[in-house]
Amino acid sequence: MKRRAYKLLVVALGLALLGGLLWLPPPGQPGGPVHEHVAARYVEGGTEAAGAPNLTTAVLLNYRGLDTFGEVTVIFAALLAALAVLGVGAAARNASGTGKPRVDARLPASPVVNFIIRLMAPFMATFAAFVMIQGDVLPGGGFQGGVVLGAMMILLSVAIGPDRVSGMVAPAPLGWLRAIAPLVFLVVAVSGLALSGAWFGLSDQPALGHALMVVLELAIGMGGAAVITGIYLSLAREVE
Amino acid sequence: MLQALFSHIDYVAVTVLFCAGLYIMIARGNLLKKVIGLNIMETAVFAFIVTTGMIDGGDPPLLEQGLGPDFASPLPHALVLTGIVVAVSVTAVALALIVRVKREHGTIEFDELGEPR
Amino acid sequence: MIEAFNPVVLFDLLILVLLIICVISIARTRDLVRAAILFSVYSLTLCLLWVHRGAPDVAMTEAAVGAGVTVALFLVVIARVGRRER
């Protein structure tokens, strides 16, 4: 009875949405309003103004740098919220569970899984670094490389255990490593005032602007990888 | 009417996905299923945003030799990249809250959670 | 309507139909591990859709985030809370 009411409500909402969407111009035509005003300026003047042949990275880091700053702050805040909810360190160990002795979270993974993960991990790290550094010429960029690196750390924690992975970086530098993306963004934003006269303005000389873009991408990548690994480890060390 | 429906077939599919995600979120009692439904709704919205920027037979927005004059618009791509990051952040916080609810109350079914004590 | 049946449009329709089948299967299953794996399949098909729409950056991010990190987080939480849904 309640299921039927929910289904009717969802179908009614779907028909209302569809009635609105059919008024839009059909997708795929080059003359639509999304290609006209601002995007046309980005496509035509993109490379000279922003210094990056990859237009998406140019939009993300140069034209809409403030939105990317908000994005890295959001994912860092998510890590803080997850740690606050679950408890860190001794608080987590005391609070979790019903008093049973804490079993090692890693089930004995089969030797095939262990071997494949240990074989693939260096290649994944190299690919992540390549995607991060070449992000302004080829498709890719900072966050893509960072997520691939974070996925590699998750796989490693399946193979060698979450305690060993979280012991790879000492706790004091780990805090700075997780916060590196918002901090570097803030430094580049303030230095943009000195270099080109506008907040977030990567400088007018193309070489310095290119170098600043690579620095930003590396910061986003490393910060994203550290945050994703931190979220996974805080959940994985809860399992008993 | 039918011609309009067929030329906007991408928008119809996105609407079906969004409504299916919404149904999963409101009609199932398990908290983890609700989080999966939320993710489906979010990805349906991203599909809509990228679809508005595409060009039939166009090229990805990279300025290299060999890629023609018709570029897919880069603005929706940047918007969706930020959206994907926000979606994974929301999912991470929701999963941490689910683990905490299980620890405190012993169940994650919405009907069994009861009144706050 | 008849003139639109070339292979590109058929590929597009096939991807969209696969997405809808994945979502309906997620709605009907009661096993949470099966729902997580189906969500990974959904995310990978969505990555194919991005490549078809000319968005390679979004495709890379969706493949790594949706099919990798999100499903890994789901499976870790399922190990904590239990597999069946009532």
Side-chain angles (χ1 to χ4, degrees):
Chain A
M1 171 58 199
K2 222 164 44 159
R3 294 276 169 100
R4 186 161 298 224
Y6 286 146
K7 279 183 190 165
L8 276 174
L9 171 71
V10 161
V11 167
L13 181 68
L15 287 177
L17 278 178
L18 206 57
L21 283 182
L22 287 180
W23 281 100
L24 290 176
Q29 314 302 324
V34 73
H35 299 284
E36 291 289 307
H37 313 280
V38 181
R41 221 180 60 168
Y42 289 168
V43 169
E44 279 158 25
T47 307
E48 295 84 33
N54 187 1
L55 280 174
T56 312
T57 307
V59 169
L60 264 182
L61 289 184
N62 201 347
Y63 285 112
R64 301 284 169 112
L66 193 60
D67 298 343
T68 313
F69 184 38
E71 158 195 340
V72 295
T73 310
V74 162
I75 196 166
F76 180 63
L79 173 69
L80 290 180
L83 286 177
V85 165
L86 288 175
V88 184
R93 278 193 288 273
N94 293 339
S96 72
T98 61
K100 292 186 296 212
R102 194 166 164 269
V103 174
D104 188 8
R106 172 172 63 104
L107 296 175
S110 81
V112 175
V113 172
N114 273 341
F115 176 69
I116 295 287
I117 291 177
R118 285 171 197 249
L119 184 67
M120 274 181 34
F123 296 104
M124 288 177 79
T126 311
F127 179 66
F130 171 74
V131 164
M132 268 194 247
I133 296 177
Q134 291 281 319
D136 46 358
V137 179
L138 298 174
F143 194 70
Q144 282 86 338
V147 180
V148 173
L149 198 58
M152 181 200 87
M153 301 298 279
I154 291 179
L155 272 186
L156 270 185
S157 93
V158 167
I160 66 177
D163 296 321
R164 275 179 70 181
V165 170
S166 68
M168 273 185 189
V169 183
L174 187 62
W176 287 102
L177 186 64
R178 284 171 178 167
I180 195 175
L183 291 177
V184 167
F185 250 95
L186 202 57
V187 164
V188 169
V190 170
S191 80
L193 263 186
L195 286 174
S196 76
W199 287 99
F200 280 108
L202 304 177
S203 84
D204 295 325
Q205 309 154 12
L208 192 54
H210 191 91
L212 275 180
M213 202 176 272
V214 173
V215 163
L216 272 182
E217 282 187 11
L218 282 177
I220 298 176
M222 297 306 295
V227 163
I228 286 177
T229 312
I231 291 174
Y232 176 81
L233 286 176
S234 74
L235 283 174
R237 300 171 85 187
E238 265 274 325
V239 176
E240 54 184 75
Chain B
M1 177 63 192
L2 204 58
Q3 174 67 25
L5 212 62
F6 193 74
S7 69
H8 292 85
I9 193 75
D10 304 314
Y11 292 161
V12 172
V14 163
T15 311
V16 169
L17 284 177
F18 185 80
C19 293
L22 181 64
Y23 175 73
I24 293 176
M25 196 165 150
I26 62 180
R28 307 301 284 244
N30 197 347
L31 288 183
L32 199 61
K33 221 31 168 344
K34 287 185 196 278
V35 171
I36 294 182
L38 178 71
N39 267 318
I40 293 176
M41 282 169 70
E42 285 169 339
T43 52
V45 173
F46 299 152
F48 171 66
I49 293 179
V50 171
T51 306
T52 62
M54 81 166 179
I55 291 182
D56 278 337
D59 291 318
L62 294 171
L63 290 175
E64 289 175 357
Q65 293 90 358
L67 290 182
D70 268 344
F71 290 113
S73 171
L75 264 185
H77 300 344
L79 201 63
V80 165
L81 277 175
T82 306
I84 292 180
V85 172
V86 172
V88 78
S89 308
V90 168
T91 303
V93 177
L95 289 177
L97 283 173
I98 285 178
V99 169
R100 188 61 190 253
V101 163
K102 173 78 176 180
R103 192 200 290 171
E104 301 285 327
H105 296 272
T107 176
I108 59 168
E109 294 289 326
F110 190 69
D111 305 319
E112 295 173 10
L113 280 178
E115 295 298 311
R117 267 175 280 120
Chain C
M1 203 161 130
I2 312 292
E3 48 87 24
F5 278 115
N6 49 355
V8 176
V9 173
L10 277 182
F11 184 65
D12 205 15
L13 282 178
L14 190 65
I15 294 183
L16 293 174
V17 164
L18 191 58
L19 284 176
I20 295 179
I21 290 177
C22 279
V23 172
I24 294 180
S25 308
I26 291 178
R28 284 170 55 98
T29 182
R30 296 216 165 251
D31 184 3
L32 287 179
V33 173
R34 187 175 295 183
I37 303 297
L38 277 170
F39 182 74
S40 175
V41 171
Y42 168 79
S43 183
L44 205 56
T45 312
L46 207 58
C47 166
L48 271 183
L49 187 69
W50 298 148
V51 173
H52 184 74
R53 299 278 159 94
D57 303 274
V58 184
M60 249 195 254
T61 309
E62 175 71 37
V65 165
V69 171
T70 304
V71 173
L73 292 179
F74 279 150
L75 288 175
V76 166
V77 173
I78 289 175
R80 181 77 175 88
V81 302
R83 218 182 133 144
R84 300 293 308 186
E85 170 196 2
R86 263 154 304 174

